Amino acid sequence: MNIIFLTVDALRADRCSVNGYNRPTTPNLERLAARGINCTQAVSPGAFTHICFPSIMTSSRPLSYGGYDSGTVGRPASIFSKAREAGAHVTAYCTTHWVCRYHGYGEHIDDEHLLFSLNTLPGTAMALFRSSLALWHRGEISDQEVVATAKRTIGVFFDNMIDYCQERLRRRSDDAIYREERFVTDGYSFERVIALVEQHRSEFNRDELAYLHKHMDYVPKAHQWIGREWRHMRTLPALFRLGKRVISERMGGLAGRASVFAGYRQKRYVDGATVTGQILQQIENWDGEQPFFIWNHYQDTHIPYCAGTGPDWFGQTPDYLEALGYDRNIDVSVALRSKPRNDTEWEAWSALYDAALLYADEQIGRIADALEARGILDDTLLVICGDHGEELGEHGDVSHHFRLYSHNVRVPLLFVHPDLKPGNNGDLVELTDIAPTIASLLDVAGDPDWVGKPVWDAAVKARSEIVVESFFGGNCVFETRPLYMAARDTRWNFMWKEFRDHEDLLSPEGNQLYDVITDPLEQNNLFRPDHPEVTRLSKAISARLQEIKEIHPSRIENAFPLSA
């Protein structure tokens, strides 16, 4: 059996027409759902990418195994390894830096494509170090503790950066395929970047604490650290393009539309149509012998929402808007803002998300069509899901900033194959169930430490609630950072936090309880300590906390004195 596993970033269930949304955002998912299982109550393990994928790929809880900072390292077997065990050739189109060899995924991947920009790697390192660094600056952890974390994050980053640059040099021939993508058009001189990183690595290894005092005497953003030093380490054509773009941006209104999109001709992330083209070629060239396992992560529904392909993608967006019943004259440049500024822009923002969703769905449809044209659709298992959801202003924010509202954790999930009885599965399904479901269909044994089950299993049908868990962004510091948890079923969502994180400027104080049937956008907080659903769902959170060895029992007893 061949398998194509497609994940889509920031894909919320209630904006998909396959799940009842009133605009036709997912016509291809609808036609595929008619041939397979549509899990209508699927829930992600968290609300952001790097907490979700270790759980998705290894059927494990985010805060188990010391937390999610190390990706799959130390966790149960991944679905990649099980596909290999079944005899498949495994290809991964790593459009996100969170799923690749640098987070423990590479060992069982035969053909790994690193399709993300150089500039994402410092951001990754800082995301895994930022909280510890902030605690150190506030005097809440010692020099020894911050250095230990720095070795696992910043120290490893230097090695990963050098490996990335060497890989890009080895794969120079791929530049023609991805010539319109940012990770190519940025035009870095990787030889020069390697030399710079080696200098930083030597300085760090000589005296880690001195390095932190010199380069991180505050909590820098990714571009304020090493990235600012390699900013101009580019080829001459790339420097020319950069200069031209800066001039265009500074001209502002004089350059009109060209100025507005000057810095966004190439999308921030790899374009879905480009990667899809490579998957289609792989399908077409398949030798018909060894089965294939292909994983790809579409980023088109991540901000900024960019429907369309190529450097003039913004000229195609009106067609997607019109197809969904929106005004094709909506200002596409709203997608490039950090956040809408008024009601009109909020409406445009929401419409542009839908347009990007339709664009991603179109790419999935292209893959299904290619399988059918090759005559192997019935021999291929298609698995499609979101990694987490997205906020579109319902609670005053955009994107997916670690809060556990339904719009951030409810996602579509489909399994499509002739051996499956078509229909909706309304049970409480978790994305940790994906790997066991695929393994079952491959007829290989799952890892004994996997927490999920095949989606048709009796244990799934018997679930009374799902617990979702997180920290508020940053890295996992169990001793000092507050836990954010939610327990939910098909009607109730109880959101609990130990206390509000120092960096959390978004969440309200206290806990929240929502009836998602009568209040799907979760606007009316029904929380009170004696609410019967709070009592019931608190027990589920308490039980989960007891499984996390880093959490002292006294913390659980203080939080849930009647449940512990």
Side-chain angles (χ1 to χ4, degrees), residues 130-179:
R130 184 179 65 240
S131 299
S132 293
L133 188 60
L135 289 166
W136 178 58
H137 283 308
R138 297 201 299 270
E140 296 180 34
I141 62 173
S142 67
D143 289 350
Q144 293 78 11
E145 289 173 301
V146 77
V147 166
T149 304
K151 287 180 178 178
R152 296 194 304 268
T153 54
I154 304 303
V156 170
F157 156 80
F158 295 131
D159 296 336
N160 292 343
M161 272 302 315
I162 292 170
D163 177 83
Y164 173 89
C165 292
Q166 291 172 340
E167 176 74 359
R168 288 298 319 282
L169 290 170
R170 283 193 296 269
R171 286 188 176 259
R172 278 294 194 192
S173 59
D174 285 355
D175 286 3
I177 298 170
Y178 298 102
R179 60 185 178 277

Side-chain angles (χ1 to χ4, degrees), residues 62-81:
L63 298 183
S64 296
Y65 303 96
Y68 47 83
D69 290 345
S70 298
T72 64
V73 176
R75 288 180 179 263
S78 73
I79 190 56
F80 293 135
S81 71

Side-chain angles (χ1 to χ4, degrees), residues 310-340:
D312 296 316
W313 61 266
F314 47 87
Q316 302 159 41
T317 302
D319 294 335
Y320 291 94
L321 290 168
E322 188 172 57
L324 294 171
Y326 289 113
D327 183 349
R328 64 179 292 113
N329 295 313
I330 286 174
D331 182 5
V332 179
S333 69
V334 169
L336 311 183
R337 301 192 189 285
S338 59
K339 191 174 182 178

Side-chain angles (χ1 to χ4, degrees), residues 181 267 269-276 298 300 306 308-310 313 359:
E181 304 303 329
K267 296 181 181 181
Y269 305 104
V270 174
D271 178 63
T274 305
V275 182
T276 300
Y298 286 108
D300 306 275
C306 301
T309 193
W313 61 266
Y359 178 74

Side-chain angles (χ1 to χ4, degrees), residues 66 132 135 140-141 145 149 152 471 475-483 498-499 549-552 555:
S132 293
L135 289 166
E140 296 180 34
I141 62 173
E145 289 173 301
T149 304
R152 296 194 304 268
F471 287 103
N475 53 300
C476 300
V477 188
F478 287 93
E479 296 80 7
T480 56
R481 300 194 65 207
L483 295 151
E498 197 171 14
F499 56 89
K549 62 182 178 63
E550 291 85 359
I551 305 301
H552 194 275
R555 290 171 69 176

